[in-house]
Amino acid sequence: MSGARPTAINCTNCGAGLDVLGGGRVLAHICGYCGAELDAQADYRVLRKFRNLERPASPFKIGMSGEIRGVPMTIIGTLGRRERYGGQTWAWVEHQLYSPTHGYAWLTWEEGHAVFTRKTRAVPVPFRMSDGLINTSEARPQARHLGKVYRYYGSGTIETTFAEGEFNFVPEIGDRTRYVDLLGDTAMLTMAESGSDDEVETEYELTTLPERDALFHSFGIDPESVPRPRRIHALTPFRRSAVARFARNAAFVAGVVSVIAFGVFSIGNGTVIYRSNLSQPVTAAYAVPFTVTQPDQLVAVEIVTNVDNSWAFFEAEITDQDDAEIALFTREIGYYHGVASDGRWTEGSRSGTAKLHLPPGDYTLELAMEESGLWQRRGVQPTVMRVTVREGVVAAWWMALGAMPPFFIGFFFLFQRWRHRAARWRGSDWTDD
């Protein structure tokens, strides 16, 4: 046709009035009344007829206009699509969009989600993923496109089951397209191949997920009238409220501070007020005099002995300057090691510590080894010991316990993100088996 394009025509097959919405690059117009496909570039002559086609359900209709990513667009065509595999069938609706300034795009409706798709001229690397490559890859295949990485999500073959309205190509019922979807952080990259074996046409598309309620409002649809999706879409971003982000950060900061405080107070904790050398025999009782000067703090008594695949049981008594018993405690010290099928191993320790609350004053620690034993005849009996007494010791265990609730809260937030990521990839047909 020549001259200015009409805004409406009569179907050359049935005479029904049809709106012309799609601009000068429309190639085909399919009548919604009789199913005739008309050649928009040759006086709308009839190319073929599609009869008894069932219109798929969608909240979007031909003629609706709205904004997507700030660009006004009009729905000019509707395609029904279907994929079958392994006895299952998936069906969805694709609406062709037209903008006088931005050309043609697609709005897809599937399982309560509406996604926006545009073709891209940039060729990804690699430019193609064959079924053979996908099936023999040990790791999930990847592609790079405009500086971003996209990971394999799914592939298959889809066919056209319904067509109505205007299109910038000539659709045919039963048309088949092979696709490979690759998922990125904010978009899905699709490699689509159509045509015969002799002449395959490859196109690349980028799909994003518009904000649901804003999209429906823009096209004059009440979001509450449309059923909510039952699961998240692969392109659903992970969102966290400002309060939740603050709670997450505060929890991790509190946990880290508690761990640092635990380390500071655990390493070099207290002042040494008595230390013997490591030549004190364990066969005789040992009396240790010491003086406590710091009030309201703990006193730590550490016993070190040279157990080796053996154990020793010590009994200690602390008396004051009047020879009155103040405290009585026992400690079992054992250290074991060996070689197993998975390598060397160790267990236990050559030291034991007791912490007590003693007011300032003079004290005497009486210490003796009561028993000792070997481990499966492979050990060495302890022969010497060393005693260290420190005052001004802080009980740092409560700091370690205090770090647990904040870390649990922080890891809960991490679990939320992990669960969301797992839900995004739930629809992928890739398996690591």
Side-chain angles (χ1 to χ4, degrees):
M1 298 183 65
S2 60
R5 291 189 60 83
T7 58
I9 63 165
N10 292 325
C11 174
T12 55
N13 183 65
C14 69
L18 304 175
D19 291 329
V20 176
L21 307 168
R25 295 183 62 186
V26 167
L27 297 183
H29 194 143
I30 300 173
C31 177
Y33 298 93
C34 67
E37 184 173 33
L38 312 177
D39 188 340
Q41 301 296 316
D43 296 324
Y44 291 93
R45 66 181 179 87
V46 178
L47 296 173
R48 59 181 65 85
K49 296 179 183 179
F50 303 139
R51 299 185 184 277
N52 302 319
L53 299 182
E54 182 179 353
R55 180 179 288 106
S58 171
F60 301 97
K61 309 299 179 185
I62 293 175
M64 285 184 172
S65 295
E67 284 192 3
I68 301 178
R69 298 169 61 179
V71 178
M73 291 190 165
T74 301
I75 298 175
I76 64 171
T78 298
L79 288 182
R81 299 287 225 171
R82 180 176 63 196
E83 179 179 4
R84 291 173 173 170
Y85 181 78
Q88 291 184 284
T89 299
W90 298 268
W92 62 95
V93 186
E94 297 179 2
H95 297 284
Q96 178 133 65
L97 302 171
Y98 172 68
S99 164
T101 58
H102 288 69
Y104 299 90
W106 291 93
L107 181 64
T108 300
W109 174 254
E110 181 180 15
E111 296 184 345
H113 295 287
V115 298
F116 176 68
T117 302
R118 289 194 66 93
K119 298 189 184 302
T120 174
R121 295 178 181 270
V123 178
V125 179
F127 67 90
R128 185 179 187 271
M129 286 189 182
S130 65
D131 292 336
L133 172 66
I134 296 169
N135 294 332
T136 57
S137 294
E138 295 184 1
R140 193 185 292 267
Q142 296 182 354
R144 297 189 66 87
H145 179 263
L146 298 177
K148 296 182 179 180
V149 176
Y150 295 83
R151 303 175 65 208
Y152 175 83
Y153 188 84
S155 60
T157 301
I158 60 179
E159 61 177 328
T160 301
T161 60
F162 176 86
E164 178 185 356
E166 299 173 88
F167 301 94
N168 64 342
F169 65 103
V170 180
E172 185 172 349
I173 303 303
D175 280 347
R176 298 172 67 85
T177 302
R178 178 189 177 271
Y179 73 92
V180 177
D181 284 338
L182 301 106
L183 182 59
D185 292 334
T186 59
M188 182 85 78
L189 172 66
T190 299
M191 302 176 178
E193 296 179 349
S194 58
S196 63
D197 294 338
D198 297 333
E199 187 177 350
V200 176
E201 180 182 3
T202 302
E203 295 180 312
Y204 305 102
E205 301 171 340
L206 285 176
T207 299
T208 55
L209 182 68
E211 200 283 318
R212 182 181 189 274
D213 289 358
L215 177 70
F216 283 135
H217 281 304
S218 179
F219 278 85
I221 302 172
D222 180 7
E224 298 304 321
S225 67
V226 183
R228 294 273 176 178
R230 289 179 294 178
R231 62 180 184 179
I232 71 169
H233 193 273
L235 291 172
T236 303
F238 182 75
R239 293 188 176 94
R240 207 190 291 280
S241 67
V243 174
R245 290 195 297 271
F246 174 80
R248 175 202 60 191
N249 296 339
F252 274 113
V253 169
V256 171
V257 169
S258 297
V259 170
I260 293 175
F262 172 77
V264 169
F265 285 106
S266 297
I267 300 175
N269 188 11
T271 303
V272 175
I273 55 178
Y274 180 87
R275 173 175 289 165
S276 68
N277 56 33
L278 196 60
S279 60
Q280 181 67 31
V282 297
T283 54
Y286 187 35
V288 176
F290 62 91
T291 300
V292 176
T293 60
Q294 298 186 26
D296 302 323
Q297 298 289 337
L298 295 177
V299 173
V301 178
E302 181 186 38
I303 307 166
V304 179
T305 185
N306 61 337
V307 286
D308 188 357
N309 276 328
S310 58
W311 58 271
F313 185 81
F314 291 87
E315 186 174 282
E317 180 184 23
I318 296 179
T319 57
D320 62 11
Q321 57 190 4
D322 297 325
D323 205 28
E325 182 181 293
I326 301 299
L328 181 68
F329 64 89
T330 60
R331 285 294 180 272
E332 181 176 330
I333 302 173
Y335 179 74
Y336 313 94
H337 59 88
V339 179
S341 59
D342 55 351
R344 293 185 176 275
W345 61 271
T346 61
E347 182 179 329
S349 172
R350 290 191 171 98
S351 65
T353 303
K355 294 180 180 179
L356 312 96
H357 182 75
L358 299 176
D362 296 326
Y363 298 92
T364 300
L365 167 68
E366 295 183 0
L367 180 68
M369 185 183 73
E370 297 295 321
E371 293 182 82
S372 65
L374 303 179
W375 177 60
Q376 298 180 350
R377 300 181 181 179
R378 296 171 55 188
V380 177
Q381 291 280 8
T383 56
V384 294
M385 65 179 177
R386 180 179 68 205
V387 179
T388 302
V389 182
R390 301 192 310 273
E391 68 172 349
V393 174
V394 177
W397 58 268
W398 65 269
M399 298 180 184
L401 292 179
M404 295 177 65
F407 273 127
F408 277 130
I409 295 173
F411 282 118
F412 171 75
F413 285 117
L414 289 179
F415 172 74
Q416 284 184 316
R417 180 178 288 275
W418 173 87
R419 185 177 62 178
H420 177 85
R421 183 183 184 280
R424 289 184 66 203
W425 288 93
R426 190 172 294 136
S428 172
D429 63 17
W430 175 265
T431 62
D432 291 318
D433 298 337

